[in-house]
Amino acid sequence: MTGQLIGTRRAAWAAVLVLGITSGSVIGGGVARADNDIDTLPAQQIADRSRDALLSVHSLHLSARGHYDSGSPAPTLELTLDRDGNCDGSVNLGNDQGSARIVKRGDDVWVKPDANFWKRQVPGVGSAFAAILNGRYMKGSADDPRLRELVNGCDLDTFQKLVSDHANNDRGTLNKGRKTTLDGASVVPLTRLRDGRTLTTYVAATGKPYPLRIMVQGGGASAVMGFSAFDKPVPKSTPPPDQTYDISALLSRPMSPV
């Protein structure tokens, strides 16, 4: 059980990262044009430019929430990450399944689960782990296999590869809507209907044509992914030593249900 502490539901929050990407992206493939008035371009060319803009950034903030299937937990994610593998943020697995703070800097990773995480994801002995940590972060190495999926999720390169790999997944007609505003920003909406789901991407109409929001609705799915803080650095602060506990030392301790 202890050896599976991180692996118990480590992939659940990572699934939020690919909502709107693997289910059929409206961020296109092909060669992008350099027109200045993006709202005058055809839908596919806007999608091309949006994809290229997203693939060019070195860091960004990702905000995601939603689920693939009705009735399933709806995880939420707030994460600032970069192409060097640094990240800072939090994940909530939804439906009182627990949440955790996540910090990665260089080769070090810190994770601080909350009480619900210990209760739901590590039943029986979770309360014993929580008592030992007493509000501190678990600290581990980026090459620890128990943290591998979490570490991969902190790497913007991994996310950008998902975008690139699915850029040509263009089944269904791509449509362009009228220019509108989204949280005060001028945007052009692009929509695609596929497999009973409507996918909408809102592309910035001024400045670089970044995708600012992706929405997936229908077919049991309900998800929103937002992008912001493009090329702004990941915070450099990390938990102080007196607020950390070595993960290997924690998992090697004999545990009994409390």
Side-chain angles (χ1 to χ4, degrees):
M1 173 65 70
T2 56
Q4 297 177 348
L5 174 61
I6 300 301
T8 306
R9 290 293 178 89
R10 64 187 176 184
W13 71 268
V16 185
L17 287 171
V18 297
L19 285 170
I21 302 298
T22 57
S23 58
S25 178
V26 292
I27 300 178
V31 179
R33 287 174 55 183
D35 303 65
N36 292 324
D37 298 323
I38 192 171
D39 61 305
T40 66
L41 299 177
Q44 187 59 58
Q45 291 182 13
I46 297 174
D48 293 342
R49 293 189 66 187
S50 179
R51 178 230 36 215
D52 290 347
L54 184 60
L55 294 180
S56 73
V57 298
H58 186 269
S59 61
L60 55 75
H61 182 81
L62 175 63
S63 176
R65 66 183 184 276
H67 57 78
Y68 276 123
D69 302 301
S70 298
S72 64
T76 62
L77 179 70
E78 294 289 341
L79 189 67
T80 301
L81 65 166
D82 65 23
R83 296 175 71 173
D84 294 325
N86 302 308
C87 73
D88 187 295
S90 62
V91 56
N92 188 313
L93 298 178
N95 290 11
D96 296 323
Q97 293 300 304
S99 64
R101 281 276 301 139
I102 304 164
V103 178
K104 181 178 179 292
R105 195 78 197 173
D107 295 329
D108 295 318
V109 184
W110 294 262
V111 184
K112 184 165 71 170
D114 69 357
N116 275 342
F117 181 97
W118 291 116
K119 179 180 179 180
R120 304 292 188 183
Q121 309 307 322
V122 194
V125 297
S127 55
F129 284 123
I132 293 171
L133 288 172
N134 192 27
R136 291 174 289 185
Y137 286 80
M138 296 183 292
K139 181 181 179 182
S141 172
D143 60 10
D144 188 324
R146 294 165 297 195
L147 299 173
R148 183 175 295 114
E149 289 188 31
L150 187 152
V151 168
N152 289 341
C154 276
D155 192 344
L156 182 57
D157 276 338
T158 300
F159 180 77
Q160 289 173 323
K161 186 177 187 303
L162 280 172
V163 174
S164 180
D165 287 349
H166 291 84
N168 294 314
N169 186 8
D170 57 0
R171 290 183 297 108
T173 302
L174 182 64
N175 296 302
K176 179 181 72 172
R178 292 184 178 182
K179 186 164 62 173
T180 184
T181 58
L182 177 70
D183 297 332
S186 181
V187 295
V188 178
L190 302 176
T191 61
R192 190 191 300 276
L193 179 64
R194 176 184 298 155
D195 301 326
R197 294 177 176 178
T198 301
L199 298 98
T200 306
T201 293
Y202 295 89
V203 180
T206 58
K208 289 188 176 182
Y210 293 122
L212 302 184
R213 182 178 297 173
I214 298 175
M215 300 179 63
V216 185
Q217 294 289 333
S222 177
V224 180
M225 182 185 299
F227 304 95
S228 61
F230 300 101
D231 285 325
K232 294 185 178 180
V234 175
K236 293 184 178 180
S237 60
T238 59
D242 64 350
Q243 291 299 311
T244 67
Y245 197 103
D246 181 80
I247 187 172
S248 293
L250 177 69
L251 298 184
S252 65
R253 295 183 60 151
M255 293 290 166
S256 298
V258 175

